[in-house]
Amino acid sequence: MRHTDRANTLSPTLNRLQSVRPLVHCLTNEVVQEITANVLLAAGASPAMVVGKEEAYDFAQLASALLINLGTPYPERLESMRLAIAGAKAANRPWVLDPVAAGATRWRDQLMQEFLALRPTVIRGNASEIRALAGLSSSGKGVDAADSTESAIEAAKALSYEWGSVVFITGAVDRIVEGDRVEDVAGGVELTTLVVGTGCALSALTAAYVAVAPTPFEGAKAAALHTKLAAEEAFKTAKAPGSFHAHFIDALFSIAQTLKESA
């Protein structure tokens, strides 16, 4: 799909996001909070990093969508996550699970299975994480994927059927999976993988889009399109990770503004 075609496909959902400015309740890991908040703001959503267990349930009901990122789990944060999911489900809010480093340790994998059983609206992970979630062997190394998104499609289908979730596999070619339905979103640049937090921030952006899109599938697709286009735009002027970080956020914003003005 050409750049113009991808932008035209994205435009209606992005304009809806800009109009609604969904509030995304992010329970994410400490490494990525800054880029996560800035990505949401640049796209036109509103971030909130409310982590206290005393208010997690109530705040999840106020928010438009919830992100659960299992990158740095520990007992108190996990309790807040469980409460936030309960609040989101009680208010019929969508929630996105980011299974960071699935397959790395037995304890982490047990947590992943617990959170899968709570039926996330969308599961967003790299191919190695998605394969590990489905109980398949993977070549992942910590948070880094070493498997192709194509190799994770059958695992994604199995997860989708078992838990009723849309599965968003990210990589050189993103794959959005719901049951037997699979849609590819190509593009982007490899440099994105050298900026910490881009994947985690994408999960938050997915939550924002799912909050306003007609379906979770379309929301995941919009998030994929927006980030692929922004990465390509950023790479026109930034050829190293440090500058790419700033240009990527700028590109998310400029794409949103351009499509808003052309609507």
Side-chain angles (χ1 to χ4, degrees), residues 28-197:
T28 191
N29 71 73
E30 287 83 349
V31 181
V32 304
Q33 289 188 12
E34 179 269 342
I35 190 172
T36 298
N38 282 328
V39 161
L40 287 170
L41 287 168
S46 296
M49 310 294 183
V50 176
V51 300
K53 62 183 180 180
E54 294 81 6
E55 59 180 347
Y57 180 94
D58 292 336
F59 200 88
Q61 294 189 307
L62 297 173
S64 306
L66 170 68
L67 166 68
I68 298 294
N69 176 303
L70 291 172
T72 52
Y74 51 88
E76 186 172 0
R77 180 61 59 85
L78 290 169
E79 185 176 354
S80 294
M81 289 177 171
R82 295 180 183 109
L83 289 166
I85 293 168
K89 290 168 77 72
N92 198 31
R93 301 288 191 264
W95 71 281
V96 173
L97 175 65
D98 189 332
V100 179
T105 68
R106 183 177 300 176
W107 179 75
R108 183 176 290 262
D109 285 347
Q110 289 172 343
L111 287 176
M112 301 291 178
Q113 294 305 311
E114 174 194 340
F115 281 88
L116 280 176
L118 297 175
R119 296 183 174 272
T121 310
V122 177
I123 303 163
R124 201 295 310 169
N126 64 44
S128 297
E129 291 164 342
I130 297 303
R131 287 179 59 88
L133 281 185
L136 302 180
S137 63
S138 71
S139 303
K141 183 179 180 182
V143 300
D144 297 324
D147 298 286
S148 69
T149 54
E150 183 177 4
S151 75
I153 290 175
E154 293 306 314
K157 288 181 179 180
L159 291 168
S160 181
Y161 274 116
E162 184 169 6
W163 304 116
S165 307
V166 170
V167 182
F168 179 4
I169 320 167
T170 49
V173 177
D174 291 347
R175 260 84 186 204
I176 319 295
V177 179
E178 185 174 28
D180 286 329
R181 181 185 180 188
V182 180
E183 191 158 341
D184 297 350
V185 179
V189 297
E190 188 175 0
L191 188 57
T192 310
T193 64
L194 298 181
V195 177
V196 69

